[in-house]
Amino acid sequence: MSRIKLWITDIDGTIVDETNIFSKRMLEVIEKVKNSDTKMVVATGRMFDGAKGVADYLGLETPVVCYQGALVRQGDKILHQAPVKPELARDVIETLRNLKIHTNLYNNGELIVEDDNKDIMRDYCQGRYTTYRAVESFDNTELKNVYKLLAIVYDEEKMQSLIKYMTERYEGRLCIVRSHRYYMEITDPDATKGAALNFLKDYWGIKKEEILASGDQDNDFEMLKNAGIKIAMGNASPKLKEIADCICPTVKEDGVCDMIERYVLCE
C-alpha cells in the first residue's frame, strides 16, 4: 500500500499540454489512482468552472483548488477562500490599464474583460471550460470576491519587467507569480496553492510526508514546498526544479505518470 495519501497536481503543463487533450496513458494512470487509497486534487490558476470542468471530466469527487489557491470549493460548498481586497483590486486595474496591459478580472465567479481582444481571449478560453463577458469599463463593475487578476503579455522582456515592477509595487500586499510564459497572476498573499494545500492537509488530517505534489511553473512553488515528495516537470521553470525531489520527463512525454506509478501506485 502506498504511503502517499494525497496527490495534488497542477493541470496545464503538468497533466495536460497546450492542446488540452488528456493522453490515453494519463487517463489510465488517473483511473488507477481513483481506485486506490490516494486522493487526487487538481490545483490550478483556472477559475472554478474551468477547474471543475477538468475534475468532472476526470471523474474526481474531491474539492478543487482554483484561482491559484484563492478558492477551495467542492460543489456549491466553499471550504476556503482568500479574495483580493477591493481597494487593492481597483489599484491593480488602474496600474495595468495605465501600462496598457490586457487584464482578466475574476469577479464573483465570472471572468470579465474591458479590452475585448478576440485573439487573446480565444487563445485563453479555448479548451478551458471558460467563458467571459466584456464590459465597457471595470470602473462600472462592483468588485465582490475578486479571487484574482491576470495580466496577459506575449513579449518576454516586457513580462519580466512587469513582474519586477508589480512585485516591488505590491510587496507584502499581493502575491505576484508567473503561471505561464504569457500569464502573470495577482492574488491575495494568502491565496497560494501552498496555502490551499495546507488547508486540505488539516481538513483531511494528512501529514506532509503523505503528500505528493506535481507542477511546472513558479506558481506551483509553495505547493511543492509543502509536500513530502516534490515533482517538477521536465518543462518546469528553473525555480521549481531547484526544490524538486525529482524532475520527470516533460508533459508531452507524460512524465508525471512515471512518478505516480513509482510513488503512488508502487508499480
Side-chain angles (χ1 to χ4, degrees):
M1 182 180 295
S2 170
R3 69 179 179 89
I4 298 299
K5 294 184 179 179
L6 170 62
W7 171 29
I8 184 166
T9 183
D10 170 55
I11 297 175
D12 301 293
T14 302
I15 59 173
V16 69
D17 64 18
E18 67 275 5
T19 66
N20 284 299
I21 299 173
F22 286 88
S23 71
K24 182 175 182 291
R25 184 187 179 198
M26 184 64 67
L27 293 175
E28 289 173 348
V29 166
I30 289 172
E31 194 63 29
K32 289 180 181 179
V33 173
K34 285 163 50 184
N35 292 325
S36 73
D37 294 325
T38 301
K39 299 178 188 294
M40 178 182 174
V41 169
V42 290
T44 178
R46 298 188 188 197
M47 58 195 300
F48 175 70
D49 287 347
K52 185 177 182 295
V54 172
D56 288 348
Y57 177 77
L58 297 176
L60 302 178
E61 298 180 354
T62 47
V64 296
V65 175
C66 45
Y67 301 109
Q68 300 302 347
L71 180 67
V72 181
R73 179 173 161 182
Q74 186 163 23
D76 294 329
K77 186 177 181 181
I78 293 176
L79 304 178
H80 172 77
Q81 61 180 336
V84 175
K85 294 178 178 62
E87 62 273 17
L88 270 176
R90 287 282 179 213
D91 194 78
V92 169
I93 287 168
E94 189 61 26
T95 297
L96 294 177
R97 181 189 287 152
N98 289 337
L99 292 171
K100 302 188 185 309
I101 302 295
H102 178 93
T103 305
N104 286 1
L105 170 66
Y106 300 81
N107 185 64
N108 207 31
E110 185 179 24
L111 168 54
I112 304 171
V113 299
E114 62 179 9
D115 172 18
D116 190 10
N117 186 308
K118 302 294 186 184
D119 291 335
I120 289 177
M121 295 312 296
R122 181 172 55 249
D123 181 54
Y124 179 79
C125 293
Q126 189 172 14
R128 294 174 183 267
Y129 303 94
T130 300
T131 58
Y132 73 97
R133 179 168 64 92
V135 297
E136 185 175 340
S137 172
F138 289 142
D139 296 341
N140 301 323
T141 301
E142 179 186 4
L143 299 185
K144 183 179 180 182
N145 291 327
V146 177
Y147 289 120
K148 76 168 186 176
L149 299 99
L150 174 72
I152 300 180
V153 180
Y154 287 102
D155 180 270
E156 178 63 25
E157 185 176 340
K158 191 174 182 180
M159 171 64 86
Q160 293 287 357
S161 177
L162 180 65
I163 290 173
K164 183 177 184 298
Y165 173 75
M166 295 292 284
T167 299
E168 292 173 354
R169 179 180 175 89
Y170 296 104
E171 184 177 6
R173 298 186 294 159
L174 290 170
C175 179
I176 311 292
V177 295
R178 193 172 185 175
S179 62
H180 182 280
R181 58 181 174 168
Y182 304 141
Y183 305 153
M184 183 188 73
E185 312 269 350
I186 305 155
T187 60
D188 183 84
D190 293 328
T192 67
K193 293 184 183 183
L197 172 54
N198 284 337
F199 168 80
L200 290 173
K201 189 165 55 178
D202 294 338
Y203 184 72
W204 282 320
I206 296 175
K207 300 175 183 177
K208 179 178 180 179
E209 58 266 27
E210 297 172 327
I211 300 169
L212 182 149
S214 53
D216 74 310
Q217 289 295 331
D218 291 355
N219 62 317
D220 299 316
F221 185 88
E222 295 296 326
M223 180 174 73
L224 264 65
K225 194 171 73 172
N226 288 299
I229 299 178
K230 308 168 184 62
I231 306 298
M233 304 302 295
N235 49 279
S237 67
K239 180 178 179 179
L240 206 66
K241 288 180 177 179
E242 284 180 4
I243 64 164
D245 296 311
C246 299
I247 300 173
C248 65
T250 68
V251 63
K252 290 186 179 297
E253 300 169 279
D254 289 327
V256 76
C257 291
D258 297 343
M259 301 296 102
I260 299 308
E261 289 169 347
R262 176 179 175 184
Y263 292 109
V264 177
L265 300 175
C266 302
E267 294 181 353

